[in-house]
Amino acid sequence: EVTKRSIRLETWQKIKDQKLTPLRRFSVFNKIPNYIGAEKAAELLAETEEFKKANSIKVNIDLAQEPVKLEVVKAKKTLFVPPAQKSSNVYAKIKNCNPDEQDLATQKKIIKLQGEEDTFQEIDMHGIEKLDMVVVGSCAVSRQGHRIGKGNGYVDLDIGILTHLGVITKDTLIVTTVHDVQVYDTLPENLFQTYDLSLDLIVTPTEVIRVSKRLPRPAGIEWKLLSSRRLEIVPVLKCIKEFEEKSGKEIELKAEDTDVESYQQKSRQNKRSFRRNQSGQRRRRRSDRRTSEKQHNGDADSHDEGGEKTDGEAAEGGKPGGGRPQRKNRYRRNTRRSTNNTGESAAEKSEGEEKAGGEKDAGDGDGKKGGRDRRRRERNPKNDKKGGRVERDLCIRVTNIARSMRIKELKQELRTRDCNPNFITWNGYHGKCYLHFPKKPDQSDDDAGAELLKQLEDLTLTVTPREKEGGGEPKQITLKCEIMKRKEGGGGDAQTATNGTVLEGSRIETTDVTAV
């Protein structure tokens, strides 16, 4: 069965499949689609005689119609846009938007009502002006002038309000700009009601379609199709209703807004269906994972040479693969733990004790942990940590670092001085960094520090200020270097030789400069 909804879905799918949207990371469904070529369609509309004759033009808020607003501003015509959300006014009039004095970014802010307060004026039902042209967005249109929107009915209602207030007359043209794939030769007549608006002009990036015979338009507001909740959504309706009732007219509303109810109900049903599908997929993945684990355990834990049963067979009275495997953790636990265990690990056991312990010790949790840490240290002996910090022999603090300075500039200067630290702890944002050096076994801390300070004497770098800091000419900056003395008791931490402050724990960047 052909319905408005099926036509919308067909159109949205064509736009998606043909990749006609400029921002593909956003969905085109359930909205007036933006499309590639909207600027070309707006330029083509601006070249028509109908546009040139019009003085007051109202353009809807859809993104695909934003180029049309810019063309209206460029032509220095009076532009009207919908008012702010939940406003009781009819529309907003754009003011003080001069394309000769303002750049494109400022113009876009103004036409979206995001500019200064003096760039727009909202007009109520008592100060309205007639319109020569109204430009709306569409999901699908026909060459006979039929239009299908995104399904909420707000554009049809807006046209009915403007017709009721006399803003839209028989001389007002209703125009839309769409992509060529949104244009149908014909659409079924039985899909359209008396409140559906019709079009006079359809503009695509490649052609201008003029409707030869105008279809019936909404005669005004059909109160019997509106509920009290719809009046809360569109405040101007409430103002019109109160004005009409004061003049003695009786207005009867619909008891229930069935269109909105059904729309919300479908949305909730779709969300529940999506959650059920997601839950079913997770259950299937867990089941598949357990099955694969059972098969793996069955292959790996088969009967040994002595004919003993596996753990699963023993648990289930001899049934193969009987025991339900323990579910693995979905997320990896934090592995940054201290290796100072109170219990004796397998790494600390003697070789003879490990052999005597057999499978019992191999399966112990502490043994696994100790073995893992031992293997890690064997792979990279530099990473043997004590107290959470890699031990370094000597540390020199470098201060007076400019924010625009880069660590690579410091590395280049250190290379020229034949000064090769093991690590550089960079905290340039706060104007400092730390150089970590190895020390010869037979050399004292004082001698090694004095030798390094001599190498780093008069450490000067050329820095060019960044543009966001004002720019300027390159300048010479002399860095200050001082030795960091160890804390009493060791532990790899250090303190300054002057004020005794420990290395700061703010956000820093540690760089391995072994290649230096």
Side-chain angles (χ1 to χ4, degrees):
E1 183 183 1
V2 178
T3 62
K4 286 185 178 180
R5 178 66 179 172
S6 65
I7 296 173
R8 292 188 193 102
L9 292 174
E10 180 184 350
T11 305
W12 289 327
Q13 193 63 44
K14 286 194 295 185
I15 294 175
K16 178 183 177 182
D17 294 342
Q18 299 181 29
K19 299 180 180 179
L20 301 176
T21 54
L23 300 175
R24 296 175 189 170
R25 65 179 181 272
F26 297 114
S27 174
V28 299
F29 291 85
N30 300 318
K31 63 179 70 174
I32 299 297
N34 190 18
Y35 56 90
I36 298 174
E39 294 81 5
K40 179 62 178 176
E43 293 173 1
L44 208 57
L45 172 61
E47 295 173 359
T48 60
E49 291 297 326
E50 293 86 348
F51 183 89
K52 294 177 180 178
K53 292 179 181 178
N55 294 319
S56 300
I57 302 176
K58 180 179 181 291
V59 185
N60 275 14
I61 61 174
D62 301 307
L63 191 59
Q65 277 63 55
E66 184 176 291
V68 178
K69 299 178 189 177
L70 296 175
E71 290 293 336
V72 175
V73 171
K74 182 179 178 181
K76 298 184 178 179
K77 300 178 182 292
T78 305
L79 174 62
F80 295 89
V81 297
Q85 191 175 13
K86 296 185 178 180
S87 173
S88 59
N89 297 304
V90 179
Y91 48 52
K93 183 178 180 180
I94 301 299
K95 305 186 301 180
N96 301 329
C97 187
N98 191 343
D100 299 331
E101 300 176 357
Q102 295 160 330
D103 57 7
L104 185 61
T106 305
Q107 295 178 42
K108 288 184 177 181
K109 284 186 177 181
I110 293 175
I111 62 178
K112 293 178 182 178
L113 303 184
Q114 297 175 355
E116 302 294 335
E117 293 184 358
D118 60 345
T119 58
F120 66 92
Q121 176 189 1
E122 292 195 354
I123 301 175
D124 60 12
M125 56 184 294
H126 302 292
I128 52 180
E129 304 176 26
K130 292 184 179 180
L131 298 174
D132 299 322
M133 180 180 288
V134 178
V135 183
V136 299
S138 304
C139 180
V141 297
S142 72
R143 294 182 178 271
Q144 284 73 36
H146 290 115
R147 171 193 175 273
I148 296 178
K150 62 181 178 181
N152 291 339
Y154 290 113
V155 175
D156 300 323
L157 181 58
D158 183 53
I159 297 297
I161 292 172
L162 297 178
T163 304
H164 177 85
L165 296 175
V167 177
I168 291 180
T169 64
K170 63 179 182 179
D171 298 325
T172 304
L173 295 177
I174 299 181
V175 185
T176 189
T177 55
V178 293
H179 196 275
D180 295 278
V181 300
Q182 297 175 253
V183 180
Y184 290 76
D185 291 334
T186 59
L187 290 174
E189 294 280 349
N190 61 334
L191 298 179
F192 301 95
Q193 308 298 326
T194 56
Y195 51 80
D196 288 316
L197 70 93
S198 58
L199 302 170
D200 299 306
L201 195 65
I202 302 169
V203 184
T204 73
T206 60
E207 64 175 329
V208 177
I209 303 172
R210 293 178 172 85
V211 178
S212 57
K213 183 180 179 181
R214 176 183 289 178
L215 298 174
R217 286 182 178 177
I221 302 173
E222 297 190 26
W223 296 103
K224 61 182 180 179
L225 300 178
L226 304 175
S227 67
S228 58
R229 184 170 56 173
R230 182 59 71 98
L231 268 62
E232 296 294 334
I233 298 174
V234 187
V236 68
L237 279 174
K238 186 185 291 186
C239 298
I240 297 174
K241 179 176 178 291
E242 293 174 354
F243 180 79
E244 295 286 342
E245 289 176 339
K246 286 181 181 179
S247 62
K249 184 178 180 180
E250 294 184 1
I251 296 177
E252 182 179 357
L253 301 176
K254 187 172 63 170
E256 184 181 11
D257 193 353
T258 55
D259 292 337
V260 175
E261 290 288 349
S262 62
Y263 176 81
Q264 292 181 347
Q265 185 177 2
K266 287 180 180 179
S267 177
R268 287 194 294 267
Q269 289 176 352
N270 291 337
K271 289 180 180 179
R272 285 196 295 267
S273 176
F274 175 77
R275 293 193 189 102
R276 285 196 299 268
N277 291 337
Q278 291 292 315
S279 178
Q281 290 177 5
R282 285 194 294 268
R283 286 196 296 269
R284 285 193 294 271
R285 285 197 296 268
R286 285 199 297 267
S287 177
D288 295 342
R289 186 167 59 248
R290 289 169 183 167
T291 303
S292 62
E293 288 175 356
K294 288 179 181 180
Q295 294 175 353
H296 177 73
N297 293 337
D299 295 337
D301 300 334
S302 58
H303 294 289
D304 56 12
E305 294 179 358
E308 296 179 357
K309 295 182 179 180
T310 60
D311 295 338
E313 292 173 344
E316 294 293 330
K319 295 180 181 180
R324 182 177 180 179
Q326 183 180 1
R327 180 182 177 183
K328 293 184 179 180
N329 291 328
R330 294 181 63 187
Y331 304 102
R332 180 176 295 178
R333 295 181 180 177
N334 188 4
T335 58
R336 296 186 62 183
R337 301 172 182 157
S338 174
T339 58
N340 297 326
N341 298 327
T342 57
E344 185 181 11
S345 65
E348 298 170 346
K349 290 182 179 181
S350 64
E351 187 175 8
E353 289 176 334
E354 288 182 354
K355 292 181 179 179
E359 295 182 357
K360 180 179 179 181
D361 291 338
D364 183 67
D366 291 340
K368 290 182 180 179
K369 182 177 179 181
R372 182 172 64 247
D373 292 340
R374 186 187 69 250
R375 289 191 297 271
R376 186 181 300 145
R377 288 194 298 268
E378 289 174 354
R379 284 195 302 268
N380 192 356
K382 288 184 179 180
N383 291 339
D384 190 10
K385 297 186 178 182
K386 187 173 183 180
R389 181 178 292 129
V390 178
E391 287 199 42
R392 292 120 185 186
D393 288 322
L394 288 174
C395 177
I396 290 182
R397 182 168 71 175
V398 182
T399 56
N400 197 31
I401 294 177
R403 288 190 177 182
S404 57
M405 190 181 297
R406 295 289 177 262
I407 190 172
K408 65 178 182 180
E409 299 170 351
L410 177 61
K411 290 180 181 179
Q412 291 173 356
E413 181 64 22
L414 293 177
R415 290 191 191 101
T416 60
R417 294 171 177 260
D418 195 21
C419 191
N420 304 317
N422 278 348
F423 291 89
I424 298 178
T425 303
W426 182 258
N427 202 353
Y429 183 82
H430 295 286
K432 58 190 174 183
C433 73
Y434 299 91
L435 309 180
H436 305 278
F437 294 90
K439 183 175 69 69
K440 297 178 182 179
D442 56 346
Q443 193 176 25
S444 65
D445 289 353
D446 294 337
D447 294 341
E451 183 179 345
L452 289 173
L453 289 177
K454 186 176 180 180
Q455 283 184 289
L456 298 174
E457 189 177 3
D458 297 330
L459 183 60
T460 304
L461 297 180
T462 303
V463 178
T464 302
R466 289 178 288 184
E467 294 182 359
K468 63 180 182 180
E469 295 177 355
E473 297 294 330
K475 56 182 180 180
Q476 297 282 338
I477 296 180
T478 301
L479 305 182
K480 180 182 177 183
C481 302
E482 56 182 336
I483 195 73
M484 305 285 290
K485 287 189 176 181
R486 295 181 183 276
K487 280 184 178 180
E488 293 184 3
D493 293 338
Q495 59 183 4
T496 59
T498 56
N499 55 16
T501 56
V502 183
L503 273 72
E504 288 77 356
S506 56
R507 185 180 178 185
I508 57 177
E509 174 188 351
T510 302
T511 306
D512 187 356
V513 290
T514 306
V516 178

